[in-house]
Amino acid sequence: MTHQDDELLQFVRQALGLVTSGALTSMPLAKRGSSRSFHRIRYEDHGTVVFMRYDHLRKENNYYAAIAYFLL
């Protein structure tokens, strides 16, 4: 596991309020555009979430969540 993977899982654990003792695994999903990457995060037997990582260098990435919510 890389340092970036460790940081990703630590961020997800904190964002979702997960206890530190439970096992988290990350599986990268197919690469998408605009410098975004998607990961399926599994927390033991409690199911999965999809996590998106992006940078702020591309202006449209800053609007991704709002646009996705609107389209929902």
Side-chain angles (χ1 to χ4, degrees), residues 1 4 7-8 14 21 28 31 45 50 52 60 65 70:
M1 186 176 298
Q4 281 189 332
E7 285 181 346
L8 168 75
Q14 182 181 10
S21 62
K31 192 167 184 167
D45 294 329
V50 174
M52 179 189 66
E60 67 266 21
F70 172 79

Side-chain angles (χ1 to χ4, degrees), residues 22-33:
L24 283 180
T25 57
S26 172
M27 181 179 75
L29 301 176
K31 192 167 184 167
R32 303 288 195 250

Side-chain angles (χ1 to χ4, degrees), residues 12-52:
V12 169
R13 187 179 298 281
Q14 182 181 10
L16 297 179
L18 301 174
V19 296
T20 57
S21 62
L24 283 180
T25 57
S26 172
M27 181 179 75
L29 301 176
K31 192 167 184 167
R32 303 288 195 250
S34 300
S35 302
R36 293 185 302 265
S37 63
F38 295 82
H39 303 263
R40 181 168 307 281
I41 308 293
R42 178 175 302 281
Y43 178 62
E44 294 184 325
D45 294 329
H46 301 287
T48 64
V49 296
V50 174
F51 178 82
M52 179 189 66

